[in-house]
Amino acid sequence: MELPSGMVTLLFTDIEGSTRMMEQEPEVMMRLLAHHDALVRRAIEEQDGTVFKALGDGFCAVFNQAAAAVQAAIEIQKRLHTADWRPFSAFNVRIALHYGEVVLRDGEYFGIALARIARLCALAHGGQILLTQAVATLVKDSLPEGASLKDLGILSLRGLQRPEHVFQLSHPEIPSHFPSEGFGGVVTTNIPARFTSFIERPGELEQLKAFFVNAQPKRLLTLLGPGGCGKTRLAQELAIMLTPHFGDGIWWIDLASISSPQLIVSKILATLGLRETDGTSSTLDYLQQELRTLQTMLILDNCEHLLDDVAQTVERLLHTCHNIAIVATSRAVLRIAGETVWPVRPLSVPTRPTSSLSAMAAYESVQLWVDRAKLTDPSFALTKENASLIGKICRSLDGIPLAIELAAARIGSLSLERIAIDLRQNLRFLTTSGARKTRHDTMENAIRWSYTLLSAEEQEMLQALSVFSGGFTLEAAEAVAFQNGDALDCLLNLVEKSLVNFENTSGQSRYRLLEVVRLFAAERLAESDRIAQVHERYLHFYSRLAQDAAQGLRGSEQAMWLARLDTEYDNLRTALHYALDPETRLGLAVPLYQYWYLRSRFTEGRSWLEGALLRSPKIPLKLRADALNCAGILAWAQGDCAAAYHFHTESLKLCREIGDKEGEAKAFNGLALTAQKQSDFPQTRYYLEQSLQIFRETNPRAAAQVLVNLGGISTEMGDLVQAKSYFEEAIQRLEAVGDKITLLTALYNLGELHFQQQAYTYAMRCYKESLVLLQNHPIPALQSRIFDSLAHIAYSAYKSAETAALLLGMAQVFVQDTEAVGLLTPQSRHVQELVEALKAQISTKRFTELYAQGEALTPSEALAYGMEHIDSYLQLASDKC
């Protein structure tokens, strides 16, 4: 039979005292050994195991299934226990089981797993069955009837750096009581057993271990984080790694069940096996005296509800007991001298969809989801079909381990789609089944535990903060969530207690609630009488922000305002939902129109505008006219010319009715864009001239935009001299007012004019200036068009078909997954002609390869390549001169 390799279950046996027995009765011993060998081999083979080595008085066997190895071990001990071994009283056989990786080479096994099981077997008593943590985890839910596992703690195995968490396998038909002495390698500890795999944040354990084993070791480490983030499990894994470094053991003290500060020291004493004093000295004095000479570590789990008293106790112990170290897990810092704080961050989550399974599997949250889902459904696997949804679920749970574990446990009864829906709607979905409930069995209970420790002001602020989506600034928190007293102090208290996260990215300070915390706080807000007031303040704050942004997008701070709107967009979208009456909703939507246009969110913006316009005919005429113009531009961007014409015509009528000259000019400009898309160039020029006449008197910046449009239509009509004049005047005006977004559009259009005249050097210079501005003001359609033009120049001027194919692929980078592709229609015919020419020259296969290479780049990579390409061309042109 061929031996298995890879991950297998190993079973080793060894007869206790066999040498002494052989010396006493050599002939009898040979006969009994033959009986022993047959008995053990038969029990192993009956469970589909394979003996791969006999050691004289023991066997080494391998199994594909851990449960089969466990059954074989029990059968061996049962048969040995009932067999006749006279003249000896018994044949006491040690048995050890381990699950690990082995390598098969030339019929022999190699690997550290063999050394680990051999060391473990040597530590066992005769008649005892020992299992490593790996085997215990695999079989804990499928033990034979009557069998049980007894946690023996952590054993330090001779010659091996990593200690082992060991369990004794017991059964009613075999001896189960063995002396605690004799385990020469046992390190005294009571670290709780772990029956699931640990998903490590890369490098975290090694960094934490280094705190305690370096030249200047730390003595107090606080693992800080909200409920369910994995503090306790991280502390368990850290304790196991550190057991060889603390000769007097590592002791786990769970303070969650302690309600009185007076019981803290009593709990520690009881855990250490020390009796409390008779009253002649304080319990803390007694504990200090006992720990003074020991080299030990205390793990204080769940300190937050007794924070001040735990801090005082820890400070006293560290001051008087110089060889001890303490690890605390808490939702708030202890705030004592020498404390090292380690924030336990959530597991990494997919930030954007990806079709790569290997990339998805690299995220820690996805690893945990798949691992825990397999516990319920062993056939579950990460696939191309479910990867995106798993990533979405993990992202919605913010990578919180407990939340992921609770959600993954539902995979046996619910589809992934249903789990995703329920998670969005119900925090109580994150609960275990069955009657047993602890404060960590549900995410709601875990959060409630922290919530009850807050002051009334902190509770009210947390409730109000639940209205924010995607984070918030201190300014927003002050305006919306806390208008009495010192909002900053209250907010910082919530940060310190791990209920609000502080983030500082690129110098921008923001705060955020984990989604499960936000859901809990939102439920508390809904139960209060403050919800309408909070929503009103929220809507007022973001309406004002949108109005300020609309002004900012017209000036020199466009980049800053675009970035701010990007950051706050989830909040702005939520505010639109809170704006129930059409007038209020349009008051927020109209200022956002330019943002929707610049970010190619045409459908969403048009939906908000049209929905409000249709819901009420009583909207003030000025606001209605503005909203119609905005909807018209977004409809035009989608290619819906009929709707765009209707919106702008209606707006023009209203503006004339109320005497809004600037509104008239906007409507004329919108009608011009619609006519241009339908190739009605004379009508386009007429509308633009009407618009320009008004804007020259009322709005210089808007006049410059119309000049750009006039330059574009003049170019299409072949009037290149007039077009150039329009563009140059527009550029001069735009540079004066600092409108970089319209400026880059003007530069692009001037480049296109030079391109048509085959003045490629001038065209390249314009494209370069435009691309520089586009780095801070990305407009997907323009970026794509520039790369199309660069491809034409590469082919026409360079005669480089391969470079042209690469550039055409890059053009697609900017319009993937956006609606901006609709703006490219007029140019598509010319691009298709170039594609056909390139395929004819370099072959369809080569074109496809190069196009795919360009398309695979990120926008920043494509921009860098485009700039380098332009510089090379300009240098070449300069050399020729």
Side-chain angles (χ1 to χ4, degrees), residues 284 306-317 334 336:
L284 182 54
L306 301 167
L307 203 62
D308 291 341
D309 297 281
V310 169
Q312 291 176 19
T313 302
V314 168
E315 196 165 28
R316 284 274 302 274
L317 291 176
L334 300 183
I336 60 178

Side-chain angles (χ1 to χ4, degrees), residues 718-738:
D719 190 352
L720 302 186
V721 174
Q722 182 64 59
K724 184 180 179 184
S725 175
Y726 283 135
F727 289 140
E728 288 175 345
E729 182 184 352
I731 290 170
Q732 185 178 5
R733 285 172 173 264
L734 293 166
E735 287 176 338
V737 299

Side-chain angles (χ1 to χ4, degrees), residues 45-118:
E45 291 169 357
E46 285 173 358
Q47 300 301 323
D48 296 325
T50 303
V51 174
F52 63 86
K53 184 176 288 187
L55 300 174
D57 58 353
F59 289 95
C60 302
V62 61
F63 294 79
N64 282 313
Q65 300 295 325
V70 165
Q71 186 64 57
I74 292 173
E75 286 299 320
I76 290 170
Q77 295 292 25
K78 283 167 59 176
R79 296 174 192 185
L80 289 170
H81 186 58
T82 57
D84 183 3
W85 303 106
R86 288 179 294 184
F88 302 110
S89 59
F91 248 47
N92 292 320
V93 173
R94 308 180 181 98
I95 300 180
L97 288 86
H98 175 55
Y99 176 75
E101 185 175 19
V102 293
V103 176
L104 185 63
R105 188 166 63 241
D106 297 329
E108 293 284 335
Y109 277 139
F110 297 87
I112 194 66
L114 299 172
R116 184 162 292 276
I117 189 172

Side-chain angles (χ1 to χ4, degrees), residues 292-509:
R292 198 181 302 274
T293 60
L294 298 182
Q295 185 191 28
T296 190
M297 172 179 277
L298 304 180
I299 310 287
L300 303 180
D301 193 29
N302 301 301
C303 299
E304 52 276 340
H305 61 304
L306 301 167
L307 203 62
D308 291 341
D309 297 281
V310 169
Q312 291 176 19
T313 302
V314 168
E315 196 165 28
R316 284 274 302 274
L317 291 176
L318 292 175
H319 182 70
T320 56
C321 308
H322 301 297
N323 292 320
I324 74 166
I326 294 175
V327 173
T329 75
S330 178
R331 304 181 194 189
V333 294
L334 300 183
R335 284 187 169 184
I336 60 178
E339 179 182 24
T340 298
V341 178
W342 184 273
V344 180
R345 64 170 178 80
L347 301 176
S348 61
V349 299
T351 54
R352 59 189 179 90
T354 173
S355 58
S356 169
L357 282 184
S358 60
M360 186 65 76
Y363 291 105
E364 299 145 16
S365 59
V366 175
Q367 295 170 29
L368 181 63
W369 174 277
V370 174
D371 183 84
R372 299 308 190 256
K374 283 179 177 291
L375 297 179
T376 302
D377 178 6
S379 65
F380 187 86
L382 182 69
T383 65
K384 288 186 177 180
E385 290 71 31
N386 66 23
S388 176
L389 195 50
I390 291 173
K392 183 178 180 181
I393 291 171
C394 291
R395 192 161 54 249
S396 73
L397 294 173
D398 290 307
I400 300 175
L402 177 60
I404 292 171
E405 290 185 343
L406 293 173
R410 299 300 184 97
I411 200 66
S413 56
L414 294 174
S415 67
L416 281 170
E417 290 78 8
R418 181 54 189 269
I419 289 173
I421 292 171
D422 286 347
L423 284 173
R424 287 199 302 269
Q425 299 174 347
N426 186 8
L427 180 61
R428 291 177 180 83
F429 176 81
L430 298 176
T431 180
T432 56
S433 58
R436 179 180 172 272
K437 291 285 183 290
T438 70
R439 66 184 184 85
H440 269 150
D441 279 336
T442 71
M443 278 305 303
E444 183 173 17
N445 286 343
I447 299 165
R448 191 182 297 277
W449 169 268
S450 294
Y451 183 77
T452 58
L453 302 176
L454 301 178
S455 68
E457 286 184 339
E458 290 166 349
Q459 288 183 354
E460 287 189 0
M461 187 174 204
L462 187 68
Q463 291 172 16
L465 293 176
S466 69
V467 299
F468 290 103
S469 300
F472 52 91
T473 62
L474 174 60
E475 177 193 11
E478 289 174 326
V480 175
F482 198 89
Q483 295 188 316
N484 299 315
D486 194 334
L488 178 59
D489 281 350
C490 194
L491 182 60
L492 292 181
N493 287 341
L494 292 174
V495 172
E496 192 173 271
K497 294 173 181 178
S498 300
L499 286 167
V500 174
N501 286 358
F502 173 70
E503 301 168 345
N504 193 319
T505 306
S506 301
Q508 299 294 317
S509 297

Side-chain angles (χ1 to χ4, degrees), residues 13 34 72 145 234 374 398 456 545 585 716 799 841:
T13 72
E145 185 175 356
L234 180 60
K374 283 179 177 291
D398 290 307
L545 174 67
R585 183 167 288 178
E716 290 200 51
K799 308 302 180 185
Q841 183 166 337

